[in-house]
Amino acid sequence: MKTEFNVPIPVKRCFVLSIISFFLVLTACPSENGSTNTKTPLILISMDGFRWDYFNKTGTPNFDELIQSGSKAKALIPVFPSKTFPNHISIVTGRYPENHGIIANRMYDPVFDEFYYIGEGSAPVRDGKWYDSEPIWVTAENHGQKAMSMFWPASEAEIMGVRPSESLVYDGSISHNDRIQQILSWLDFPAEKRPGFISLYFSHTDSYGHQYGPDSDEIKEAIQEMDRTIGLLMAGLKSRDIFNKVNIMLVSDHGMASIHPDSIIYLDDYIKMDDVYMVDWTPISSISPLKNVDEIYSKLKNIHPNMSVYKKGDAPERYHYRNHRRIQPITAVAHEHWSISTHEYSATDDHAEDFNGATHGYDPAYPSMRGIFVGHGPAFKSGFSGPGITNIHLYEMMCSILGLSPAENDGSLDSSRVFLVN
Ligand code: AMP
Ligand code: ZN
Ligand code: ZN
């Protein structure tokens, strides 16, 4: 089977080329309204919780091939909090959580008077009103390109009146093989229906990391399974003779750090739990005091060397976690390897596993919280190894690759250009 794609031409060269080939009507130049019908698809793949050092933990022949003929960053640095939804939405919007609105996996909105939560069957995840910024698939569709999602947080919602041309409601039981077959079948669509942007998501390394920890034998098996899965995609692209004609961005949202039941900070040692409402728990606790905020704050601040406590607006500037109505009056941030709980909760048998294994959410400055970035295809340098970059810069990178004019965002192409050919 053979699928033909036009490789996009850098915009600067378009003017000259369009004069030379006036009657040939080259299709890769952006049109007046910025739309483009480039036929080089971009496949954005997330392997949840794939820590930056996982490539070196076990044999990964397929990742190795992708890396050797592509461009790799030392790490992909997450935004605060280093949780799944805030980071996946930052990757596709280029905005910090306080600007895109998904400041946690679990949050309360005082205007909607509703809670947001993630997981299979979540209604708020599918409700576009929660998202304040434009994801790449909306930008692509608005420019006349088709976007298709084999899962990505929020891709199942209508955002700013737009949905991807194809998307699926999250169902973790769909096999890795079936996910790959789905995107290959989209790539087999006739030219006019073929996607410009595709997303693909796997939770496997996150689940194994939480349960067994980042240094376990089990995580090595999970890494090998992801290597096998990317190998299946690469084989499918090669059999269509398009492996070197599509652009692939392989990313993860955060890393993973071990936790232990001996490292729990018990809030009920310091405050009456009846005096607060806990919107989110560990390792980033969102606390809504039912009494005076200052009173609760003074009881919690400086109580533990492994927990930082901030009043709303006082979190470190580099967290970009100050200005959204969903940020609660007090945020307690556990330090790496520590958990926040109460004696009552953590003593329950059902919850014992919450404090064993590993987790994430911590300060993005910890190396353990860092993820991966690999780019492969005509847009990316080959055999290049570059510095770590923050994930807010990837939206501009994707817009540049797809020839789209970006929506307002917090990133810059200057930070990610080093990985690109042009
Ligand atoms: P975290 O709790 O930060 O480790 O988040 C990982 C979890 O996010 C996965 O195990 C899934 O249950 C959930 N998840 C991932 N994608 C989606 C989605 N599109 N919709 C709802 N939940 C999701
Ligand atoms: Zn995650
Ligand atoms: Zn996780």
Side-chain angles (χ1 to χ4, degrees):
M1 200 180 323
K2 196 167 165 148
T3 313
E4 285 298 333
F5 297 126
N6 299 328
V7 176
I9 296 158
V11 176
K12 267 187 254 166
R13 283 166 49 210
C14 278
F15 179 68
V16 180
L17 283 171
S18 55
I19 293 173
I20 295 168
S21 42
F22 185 67
F23 293 106
L24 292 179
V25 193
L26 279 183
T27 55
C29 298
S31 68
E32 263 172 35
N33 64 2
S35 81
T36 167
N37 45 2
T38 173
K39 293 285 188 266
T40 302
L42 168 63
I43 308 173
L44 174 66
I45 308 170
S46 167
M47 297 191 172
D48 200 315
F50 198 108
R51 205 167 76 174
W52 66 279
D53 58 347
Y54 280 4
F55 292 129
N56 304 325
K57 282 193 176 286
T58 183
T60 53
N62 296 301
F63 287 136
D64 295 351
E65 183 184 339
L66 201 71
I67 290 166
Q68 274 153 24
S69 52
S71 224
K72 176 177 178 283
K74 188 158 186 246
L76 188 63
I77 302 165
V79 292
F80 179 87
S82 52
K83 286 278 194 175
T84 295
F85 268 59
N87 278 280
H88 276 89
I89 311 301
S90 285
I91 290 168
V92 294
T93 62
R95 304 229 70 175
Y96 288 107
E98 68 174 357
N99 293 327
H100 64 54
I102 306 303
I103 54 115
N105 282 348
R106 184 177 154 76
M107 21 180 222
Y108 171 72
D109 187 299
V111 173
F112 303 157
D113 190 19
E114 288 171 30
F115 286 90
Y116 183 94
Y117 53 91
I118 67 161
E120 263 173 53
S122 163
V125 164
R126 298 169 63 184
D127 187 342
K129 74 180 178 194
W130 290 89
Y131 309 102
D132 298 342
S133 299
E134 181 175 307
I136 184 72
W137 56 81
V138 172
T139 314
E141 292 278 350
N142 283 343
H143 283 75
Q145 292 189 16
K146 298 204 181 311
M148 305 192 180
S149 172
M150 182 59 251
F151 301 152
W152 194 275
S155 67
E156 49 274 79
E158 181 181 301
I159 299 177
M160 294 161 182
V162 178
R163 283 178 188 279
S165 292
E166 305 266 352
S167 65
L168 288 91
V169 173
Y170 186 65
D171 173 0
S173 71
I174 296 184
S175 73
H176 297 159
N177 288 10
D178 286 352
R179 297 181 202 195
I180 299 296
Q181 293 314 324
Q182 176 65 79
I183 68 166
L184 290 172
S185 72
W186 285 336
L187 288 167
D188 290 337
F189 276 178
E192 69 281 5
K193 286 178 69 187
R194 206 177 291 152
F197 171 82
I198 295 175
S199 75
L200 178 60
Y201 168 85
F202 302 96
S203 65
H204 195 58
T205 37
D206 182 69
S207 310
Y208 272 64
H210 279 295
Q211 198 174 345
Y212 303 105
D215 300 313
S216 60
D217 285 340
E218 287 85 353
I219 197 70
K220 289 182 190 157
E221 283 168 31
I223 295 163
Q224 284 163 11
E225 165 58 12
M226 285 295 96
D227 183 68
R228 186 197 66 79
T229 303
I230 199 93
L232 197 62
L233 172 65
M234 289 160 68
L237 296 173
K238 284 174 185 172
S239 73
R240 287 162 176 77
D241 199 19
I242 56 173
F243 177 53
N244 290 313
K245 297 176 186 163
V246 300
N247 288 305
I248 296 173
M249 286 169 58
L250 173 64
V251 302
S252 64
D253 49 350
H254 52 72
M256 198 61 79
S258 60
I259 50 172
H260 195 271
D262 288 344
S263 304
I264 301 176
I265 300 155
Y266 296 101
L267 294 186
D268 50 342
D269 282 343
Y270 309 98
I271 56 171
K272 279 205 236 123
M273 296 314 291
D274 287 347
D275 289 345
V276 297
Y277 183 81
M278 299 294 295
V279 174
D280 203 0
W281 267 107
T282 188
I284 311 301
S285 296
S286 296
I287 305 171
S288 174
L290 303 173
K291 283 192 161 176
N292 185 286
V293 173
D294 286 319
E295 197 184 314
I296 301 293
Y297 173 70
S298 63
K299 286 183 179 167
L300 288 178
K301 72 170 179 182
N302 303 328
I303 55 170
H304 201 287
N306 288 300
M307 182 173 76
S308 302
V309 183
Y310 305 108
K311 278 206 290 186
K312 184 168 181 175
D314 291 346
E317 208 174 334
R318 65 191 175 80
Y319 283 6
H320 298 272
Y321 194 80
R322 290 181 173 175
N323 289 323
H324 200 282
R325 64 178 190 256
R326 297 170 194 157
I327 297 172
Q328 295 302 316
I330 298 174
T331 305
V333 180
H335 297 180
E336 190 185 29
H337 306 302
W338 284 80
S339 303
I340 299 173
S341 189
T342 60
H343 289 286
E344 193 189 354
Y345 183 91
S346 58
T348 323
D349 281 352
D350 285 357
H351 299 141
E353 68 197 41
D354 293 3
F355 306 99
N356 255 318
T359 200
H360 54 90
Y362 302 113
D363 186 337
Y366 292 118
S368 63
M369 290 299 103
R370 296 184 175 176
I372 53 164
F373 171 78
V374 179
H376 186 278
F380 292 97
K381 287 179 184 162
S382 176
F384 179 75
S385 193
I389 47 167
T390 303
N391 65 20
I392 52 150
H393 300 300
L394 297 185
Y395 171 76
E396 286 266 343
M397 179 190 257
M398 291 189 281
C399 286
S400 163
I401 291 171
L402 290 168
L404 311 173
S405 35
E408 186 185 1
N409 69 89
D410 301 317
S412 119
L413 193 54
D414 293 341
S415 307
S416 62
R417 203 190 300 277
V418 65
F419 299 97
L420 299 174
V421 170
N422 293 298

